[in-house]
Amino acid sequence: MYEPSKNNRLLIDQTADNITDYIIKNDLKPGDRLPPEHELAELLEVGRSTLREAIRMLASRNVLEVRHGAGSFISQKAGVADDPFGFSFIKDKRKLAEDLIEFRLMIEPRIAAAAASACTEEEKAGLRAQCEKVEELIRSGVSHAEEDSRLHTMIAICSRNCVIPKLLPIITVSIDNLIQITHASLREETIRTHRAIVEAICEGDSLAASDAMMLHLIYNRDCLRTQPLIASLRGDMDEI
């Protein structure tokens, strides 16, 4: 396996730092594309092999997302690790799911309210399109966890709070756990409350956005709490 020399490693690290500086100075947002490889290499005054290694390093840190044939894009994960809080090591997944919902109830209604006050017209169009994408997946019976998380991520970004994107792994883990435990049973409720959240944000109604997000999370919490009963009833039916 190829291992870069110490000097090359230092150059790769410096190049990665320079790319990060470029992203910050040019105010690039999640989803924005970096310049083509040859342009960026010339701009940073490094070889293309060094640039590729630096991009690979930043991709591993969730700063960049490399799409083969399309280029390198700013990651939606904003440089946050997939499991920065160590949730994967918590054994009781049901307790984790319940506590994550309670945490989300504390912050996501406020996030939705802030998004309603700061959302741009372009972002509104994106939210509506993403809401429809989630709805299509739910109705087709395909897993909607990833796109569901993306919708909540987009809402968080619209809040213009620079801290919130750093907490997005909490929301992502919560959505994944909830869908797995409840077997995605809240299909119609999810569709209805997602629509209400997005429309309130797009209309600039902070109070309605907060209320809709609160209702969305309460549905999730109540479904999670009744899941053991549902499982028990299914077990009883199997014995008949």
Side-chain angles (χ1 to χ4, degrees):
M1 182 180 295
Y2 165 74
E3 288 289 343
S5 67
K6 182 177 180 180
N7 288 339
N8 283 345
R9 174 53 61 187
L10 290 173
L11 180 58
I12 291 168
D13 289 343
Q14 184 59 55
T15 302
D17 289 341
N18 290 341
I19 293 173
T20 302
D21 289 341
Y22 176 88
I23 292 170
I24 295 170
K25 289 176 181 177
N26 289 276
D27 196 27
L28 298 184
K29 300 293 189 295
D32 287 348
R33 185 179 182 274
L34 285 180
E37 186 180 281
H38 67 280
E39 290 183 18
L40 193 57
E42 184 176 345
L43 180 66
L44 300 179
E45 299 182 341
V46 295
R48 292 173 74 167
S49 61
T50 298
L51 179 66
R52 289 185 191 120
E53 288 296 325
I55 288 175
R56 189 175 294 117
M57 177 187 297
L58 291 174
S60 71
R61 296 174 183 170
N62 288 330
V63 175
L64 296 177
E65 177 186 348
V66 179
R67 303 175 192 171
H68 297 292
S72 299
F73 297 79
I74 312 305
S75 173
Q76 296 286 347
K77 297 181 179 178
V80 179
D82 288 329
D83 186 23
F85 304 105
F87 291 141
S88 59
F89 295 97
I90 296 178
K91 185 176 180 180
D92 189 341
K93 298 305 179 186
R94 181 173 298 281
K95 180 66 164 60
L96 173 62
E98 291 173 353
D99 288 352
L100 285 170
I101 287 289
E102 291 301 326
F103 176 80
R104 290 175 63 193
L105 278 164
M106 297 175 194
I107 66 167
E108 276 202 273
R110 287 294 308 141
I111 292 173
S117 298
C119 198
T120 67
E121 291 302 318
E122 183 178 358
E123 287 171 330
K124 290 175 184 178
L127 287 175
R128 285 190 169 112
Q130 186 63 25
C131 187
E132 290 177 4
K133 183 182 292 186
V134 175
E135 182 174 332
E136 289 172 4
L137 291 174
I138 292 174
R139 294 200 182 284
S140 63
V142 178
S143 174
H144 63 282
E146 183 176 349
E147 298 301 334
D148 195 319
S149 295
R150 184 166 288 127
L151 176 61
H152 284 266
T153 296
M154 292 167 68
I155 292 170
I157 291 171
C158 289
S159 74
R160 298 293 183 272
N161 185 311
C162 67
V163 176
I164 295 302
K166 307 302 179 184
L167 301 178
L168 290 176
I170 297 177
I171 296 173
T172 299
V173 170
S174 175
I175 291 170
D176 288 344
N177 281 8
L178 186 72
I179 290 174
Q180 289 178 20
I181 292 174
T182 62
H183 309 290
S185 57
L186 282 174
R187 292 179 177 86
E188 291 303 320
E189 292 86 348
T190 297
I191 290 171
R192 187 170 66 254
T193 52
H194 273 176
R195 285 180 184 174
I197 294 165
V198 169
E199 285 309 310
I201 291 173
C202 291
E203 291 171 6
D205 191 333
S206 294
L207 180 59
S210 175
D211 288 347
M213 182 65 79
M214 181 75 73
L215 182 60
H216 175 61
L217 294 172
I218 288 173
Y219 272 132
N220 288 335
R221 184 188 63 188
D222 291 349
C223 181
L224 184 63
R225 287 177 174 175
T226 58
Q227 196 62 28
L229 175 60
I230 293 172
S232 176
L233 290 174
R234 285 175 180 166
D236 292 342
M237 290 297 294
D238 289 342
E239 293 174 4
I240 296 175

